[in-house]
Amino acid sequence: MIRLVLAAAALAAVAFVTPASAGNTPQEEANKKVVVDFYDKAINQKDFEAAKVHFGPKYIQHNPQAADGPEGLKAFVGFLKSKFPNYHSEFKRVLADGDFVIVHVHNRPNPGDRGRAIVDIFRLENGKIVEHWDVAQDIPEKSANDNGMF
Amino acid sequence: MIRLVLAAAALAAVAFVTPASAGNTPQEEANKKVVVDFYDKAINQKDFEAAKVHFGPKYIQHNPQAADGPEGLKAFVGFLKSKFPNYHSEFKRVLADGDFVIVHVHNRPNPGDRGRAIVDIFRLENGKIVEHWDVAQDIPEKSANDNGMF
């Protein structure tokens, strides 16, 4: 039940932060839901077994710190579970174009951390995740503007 | 003429790297072209006057190192021009969802640098750029996989 509530909250958050998504195709909308569920299960719930149902026949990894394939993500989730059990990414916006889904999140390794801004890009084939890129940047203490990184 | 050729090359590169864009609306396609032209003029050609035609009535800046508004970008372009005249970003993929355009680039401050992976997100209103977020990460010397960051 807790998982269901979390997933529903994640999807509600996506609907809230992406008002411009009215032009998405049904496949793009479906792809967004797949990526949000995958991300939430893997990163926030740290439940690799629940997340892995979304993998296609391959998982091409471009994050230079992770090994290629599903096993690389499995190892990362295990690392989070043991070292950063409260590691959490808050969805800021979820966008889709064709086979690509782009996720902009506020990541906090520990509660109260200033955290990092991350953009993940996923590529899907037939509604399954097959490739991943990401870019991460620490949120600085001071900024030249008052708008925040999100 | 050189500028026209550069712009045409940039657009051709976008067409090449975003094969999944067949589902874009005409407005999304137009928004991609606006952002690519803006980015190429500002960052690669360092010609703020040519880039600024794409601004809407405001420019909300979320990059913590830049001041808010068009003046913040103008200052950044001037900084690049004097300190990093060969600063260049190569488009890897350009994606669009509604009013958002997402640009994934390989940035090299100086030729031959390993460089950085950057994702920029722009929001447009009526085909004009009104808001910008970005995330940048140094490309490491070694990677846990052989796929590169792009």
Side-chain angles (χ1 to χ4, degrees):
Chain A
M1 176 59 93
I2 289 173
R3 282 190 191 161
L4 280 175
V5 171
L6 283 173
L11 290 175
V14 171
F16 177 73
V17 298
T18 56
S21 63
N24 284 161
T25 64
Q27 184 65 63
E28 287 170 333
E29 284 297 338
N31 285 350
K32 283 183 178 181
K33 289 179 183 173
V34 163
V35 167
V36 167
D37 190 61
F38 174 80
Y39 207 101
D40 197 53
K41 296 268 170 53
I43 301 302
N44 291 338
Q45 299 182 42
K46 298 160 195 65
D47 184 346
F48 177 78
E49 294 302 313
K52 74 177 187 184
V53 300
H54 296 299
F55 281 129
K58 60 191 169 191
Y59 183 56
I60 304 169
Q61 179 62 264
H62 294 271
N63 180 317
Q65 294 184 293
D68 202 24
E71 289 302 313
L73 183 69
K74 185 177 183 179
F76 180 64
V77 171
F79 166 77
L80 292 183
K81 212 166 178 173
S82 66
K83 300 291 183 187
F84 297 95
N86 295 309
Y87 189 99
H88 186 87
S89 283
E90 179 189 349
F91 295 101
K92 294 297 185 178
R93 46 194 62 83
V94 180
L95 305 165
D97 183 347
D99 294 330
F100 293 90
V101 174
I102 305 96
V103 184
H104 193 190
V105 305
H106 183 187
N107 168 255
R108 287 188 178 92
N110 298 292
D113 285 354
R114 192 179 307 119
R116 301 182 296 172
I118 302 177
V119 175
D120 294 87
I121 301 175
F122 295 91
R123 187 171 67 80
L124 292 86
E125 287 178 0
N126 303 314
K128 295 289 187 179
I129 296 170
V130 296
E131 193 161 9
H132 170 252
W133 302 259
D134 64 358
V135 181
Q137 180 179 335
D138 289 344
I139 296 174
E141 187 177 353
K142 293 183 180 177
S143 174
N145 59 66
D146 296 329
N147 303 319
M149 279 193 76
F150 301 104
Chain B
M1 177 58 91
I2 289 172
R3 281 190 192 162
L4 279 175
V5 171
L6 283 172
L11 290 175
V14 170
F16 178 72
V17 298
T18 55
S21 63
N24 284 160
T25 65
Q27 184 66 63
E28 288 170 333
E29 284 296 339
N31 285 351
K32 284 184 179 181
K33 289 179 183 174
V34 163
V35 167
V36 167
D37 190 60
F38 174 80
Y39 206 102
D40 197 53
K41 296 268 171 55
I43 302 302
N44 291 338
Q45 299 182 42
K46 298 160 195 65
D47 185 345
F48 177 77
E49 294 303 313
K52 75 176 186 184
V53 299
H54 295 300
F55 281 128
K58 61 191 169 191
Y59 184 55
I60 305 170
Q61 179 62 264
H62 294 271
N63 179 316
Q65 294 184 292
D68 203 22
E71 289 303 312
L73 183 68
K74 185 177 182 178
F76 180 64
V77 171
F79 166 78
L80 292 183
K81 213 166 176 172
S82 65
K83 300 293 183 188
F84 296 96
N86 295 308
Y87 189 98
H88 186 87
S89 283
E90 179 189 348
F91 296 100
K92 294 298 186 178
R93 46 194 63 81
V94 180
L95 305 166
D97 183 347
D99 293 331
F100 293 89
V101 174
I102 305 96
V103 184
H104 193 191
V105 305
H106 182 186
N107 168 254
R108 288 188 177 93
N110 299 292
D113 285 355
R114 193 179 303 119
R116 302 183 296 173
I118 302 177
V119 175
D120 294 86
I121 301 176
F122 295 90
R123 186 171 67 81
L124 291 86
E125 287 178 0
N126 303 313
K128 295 288 187 179
I129 296 170
V130 296
E131 192 161 10
H132 170 251
W133 302 259
D134 63 358
V135 181
Q137 180 180 336
D138 289 342
I139 297 174
E141 187 177 352
K142 292 184 181 176
S143 173
N145 59 66
D146 297 328
N147 303 320
M149 279 193 78
F150 302 103

